[in-house]
């Protein structure tokens, strides 16, 4: 069977009726940014179903505009922390109390790029919800002009060493309720975050629950507060795409002005996450001002967001060239020359399909065709060698953590489709 057919089959098998899970067993619910990438893949063969993926995600939106990282439409005893651990959340469907990188507007723009009457109807159908979510990031998660995160899980990069400074600065709650991890039962513990990290993740969850998930209080008073290049660049890019969507829909000037102000704010904040010692975009603890210490697979998203100075972009490419000589498969989630690199431990080293997708897109849009091709081809080679894994060892291309993974299938399909279109042109 061709890899393209295998990818379609994976997405069909992970379909739970209007929404798609990342992979059976390990992740049995709808995840926020996973669904956005899934829509991109399904759109290559079934646009109606792709659109349902997006609208089903929006069904979980909270009254304050937040779209949660996980929507719990059921309670699976095999998953932890499930709905009961997150407590009473104010959304229409039980969910987590944190969000995830807002790639949605970018993907909606891509899916509706031909602006046919049907595309415009679809854009109009979701515009208000997406606008409200972006407003939530700007009003509720922004501190001193830069978008912040309150939990490593919200960044989508759970145990990346980027978070070590923020996690070291916080204490595990003395009254942390006991719990049993389930992730280590599905996959080998060597792939997964450590126990101390897990205790801290749950300390933040317990704090959020204790304040009734008041999101502004969680940002300002919570145990963890860091700026993240992933959230920053993904939101900035998405704001730019939302601006284009708003203009195409003929939205009122006040809305267009509001989005433009977010873009200006975002572009101005790019310098806040420029680590002058490392000469790279890195995470930053917003309480101490300290930067994290490694180049990650989000550092190069400045291209995707079309932000940062020419010097910053040149330094970013220097780092990528250096790393490219050290690994067989670009782009590792953590610098192989930095402390805490581990080739197969989740966000401490493996390459991640959705990150390669965004990185390659940004590089090619900004005229860096060679590096874009390397990032794209390396993921394709890893898939050809090992299959549709959640992430891959950047030294060997072996698959890590979950197999038959939805976003890996989706990214593959999207690139194959683009290649076909290019071939036909
Ligand atoms: C892991 C990843 C996160 C992803 C989720 C479901 O938690 O770190 O980015 O959304 O799995 O695939």
């Amino acid at each position: 069977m061709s890899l393209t057919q295998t990818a379609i089959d994976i997405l069909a098998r992970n379909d739970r009726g209007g929404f798609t899970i990342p992979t059976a067993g390990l992740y049995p619910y709808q995840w926020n940014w996973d669904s956005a990438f899934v829509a991109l893949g399904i759109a290559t063969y079934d646009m109606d179903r792709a659109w349902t993926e997006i609208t089903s995600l929006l069904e979980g939106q909270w009254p304050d505009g937040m779209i949660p990282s996980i929507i719990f439409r059921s309670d699976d005893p095999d998953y932890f922390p499930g709905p009961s651990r997150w407590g009473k959340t104010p959304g229409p469907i039980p969910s987590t109390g944190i969000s995830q990188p807002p790639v949605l507007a970018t993907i909606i723009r891509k899916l509706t790029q031909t602006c046919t009457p049907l595309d415009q109807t679809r854009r109009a159908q979701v515009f208000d919800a997406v606008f409200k979510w972006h407003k939530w990031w700007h009003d509720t998660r922004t501190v001193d002009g830069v978008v912040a995160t309150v939990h490593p899980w919200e960044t989508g990069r759970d145990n990346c060493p980027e978070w070590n400074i923020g996690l070291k600065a916080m204490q595990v709650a003395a009254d942390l309720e006991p719990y049993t991890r389930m992730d280590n039962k599905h996959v080998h513990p060597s792939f997964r975050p450590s126990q101390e990290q897990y205790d801290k993740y749950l300390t933040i969850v317990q704090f959020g629950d204790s304040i009734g998930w008041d999101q502004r209080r969680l940002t300002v008073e919570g145990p963890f507060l860091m700026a993240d290049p992933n959230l920053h660049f993904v939101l900035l890019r998405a704001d730019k795409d939302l601006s284009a969507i708003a203009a195409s829909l003929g939205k009122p000037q006040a809305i267009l002005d509001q989005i433009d102000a977010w873009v200006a704010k975002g572009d101005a904040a790019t310098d806040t996450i420029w680590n002058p010692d490392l000469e790279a975009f890195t995470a930053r603890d917003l309480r101490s001002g300290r930067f994290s210490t490694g180049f990650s697979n989000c550092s190069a998203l400045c291209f995707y967001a079309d932000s940062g100075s020419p010097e910053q972009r040149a330094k970013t490419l220097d780092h990528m060239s250096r790393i490219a000589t050290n690994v067989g498969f670009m782009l590792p989630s953590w610098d192989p020359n930095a402390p805490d690199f581990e080739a197969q431990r989740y966000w401490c080293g493996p390459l991640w399909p959705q990150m390669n997708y965004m990185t390659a897109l940004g590089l090619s849009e900004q005229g860096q065709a060679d590096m874009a091709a390397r990032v794209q081809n390396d993921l394709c080679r890893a898939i050809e060698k090992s299959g549709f894994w959640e992430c891959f060892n950047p030294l060997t291309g072996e698959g890590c953590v979950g197999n038959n993974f939805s976003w890996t299938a989706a990214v593959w399909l999207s690139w194959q489709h683009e290649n076909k279109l290019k071939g036909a042109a």
Side-chain angles (χ1 to χ4, degrees), residues 188-215:
H188 196 272
S190 64
F191 287 144
R192 300 289 303 176
S194 72
Q195 192 54 44
E196 193 199 336
Q197 283 169 338
Y198 232 80
D199 284 348
K200 292 194 171 169
Y201 301 153
L202 287 166
T203 294
I204 306 172
V205 172
Q206 193 158 302
F207 178 83
D209 186 24
S210 76
I211 56 166
W213 293 109
D214 175 329
Q215 291 291 337

Side-chain angles (χ1 to χ4, degrees), residues 11 51 156 177 347 419:
L11 290 172
W51 197 252
E177 273 184 53
W347 288 93
N419 285 345

Side-chain angles (χ1 to χ4, degrees), residues 96-366:
T96 60
I98 53 173
S99 197
Q100 258 193 333
V103 289
L104 194 61
T106 301
I107 285 173
I108 289 171
R109 184 177 181 202
K110 212 167 171 52
L111 261 49
T112 54
Q113 65 197 346
T114 46
C115 290
T116 61
L118 179 58
D119 286 338
Q120 291 299 80
T121 306
R122 284 183 165 142
R123 285 182 170 192
Q125 181 193 359
V126 298
F127 180 84
D128 288 352
V130 179
F131 178 85
K132 205 171 159 192
W133 186 29
H134 283 217
K135 185 167 178 355
W136 176 85
W137 282 109
H138 291 291
D139 292 352
T140 308
R141 276 289 189 268
T142 296
V143 175
D144 296 336
V146 63
V147 67
T149 186
V150 298
H151 198 305
W153 289 343
E154 189 166 69
T155 68
R157 309 193 282 144
D158 308 21
N159 68 332
C160 185
E162 293 257 50
W163 316 126
N164 290 354
I165 359 164
L167 290 174
K168 274 197 191 112
M170 68 171 275
Q171 304 296 321
V172 173
D175 61 348
L176 185 65
E177 273 184 53
Y179 65 95
T180 308
R181 284 173 73 165
M182 299 305 287
D183 58 319
N184 280 342
K185 300 207 162 120
H186 291 288
V187 294
H188 196 272
S190 64
F191 287 144
R192 300 289 303 176
S194 72
Q195 192 54 44
E196 193 199 336
Q197 283 169 338
Y198 232 80
D199 284 348
K200 292 194 171 169
Y201 301 153
L202 287 166
T203 294
I204 306 172
V205 172
Q206 193 158 302
F207 178 83
D209 186 24
S210 76
I211 56 166
W213 293 109
D214 175 329
Q215 291 291 337
R216 188 61 194 167
R217 279 189 66 194
L218 181 56
T219 307
V220 177
E221 299 168 28
F224 182 93
L225 187 70
M226 289 189 74
D228 166 29
N230 195 28
L231 284 174
H232 171 73
F233 287 129
V234 166
L235 178 61
L236 181 51
R237 165 75 189 239
D239 278 334
K240 292 177 182 178
D241 288 316
L242 190 65
S243 168
I245 293 173
S248 81
L249 291 172
K251 289 288 170 187
Q253 195 56 43
I255 298 276
L256 301 177
D257 290 348
Q258 171 71 88
I259 303 174
D260 285 349
W262 292 338
V263 169
K265 177 201 119 186
D267 269 324
T270 293
D271 271 341
T272 311
I273 54 166
W274 179 253
N275 177 334
D277 296 330
L278 198 68
E279 299 192 303
F281 293 110
T282 68
R284 187 171 189 182
D285 186 315
L286 291 176
R287 298 235 162 85
S288 66
R290 288 174 57 210
F291 287 98
S292 96
T293 52
F295 189 93
S296 75
N297 58 348
C298 301
S299 303
L301 290 181
C302 53
F303 294 99
Y304 174 78
D306 189 11
S307 193
S309 67
E311 294 73 23
Q312 287 167 334
R313 295 184 193 198
K315 295 280 182 198
T316 300
L317 280 171
D318 289 347
H319 279 289
M320 293 187 86
S321 304
R322 170 181 58 79
I323 291 170
T325 61
N326 284 330
V327 296
F329 297 81
M330 288 285 268
L331 175 64
S333 44
W334 191 242
D335 190 334
N337 298 129
D340 302 314
F341 172 81
E342 286 183 76
Q344 60 173 30
R345 196 183 289 276
Y346 221 37
W347 288 93
C348 301
L351 71 94
W352 287 74
Q354 83 289 14
M355 302 308 303
N356 275 37
Y357 175 84
M358 293 189 290
T359 307
L361 178 64
L363 287 166
S364 77
E365 285 172 347
Q366 301 303 322

Side-chain angles (χ1 to χ4, degrees), residues 22 27 31 33-34 100 156-158 346-347 352 390 405 407:
Y27 306 122
W31 260 257
W33 69 330
D34 294 66
Q100 258 193 333
R157 309 193 282 144
D158 308 21
Y346 221 37
W347 288 93
W352 287 74
E390 177 173 4
F405 216 84
W407 64 22

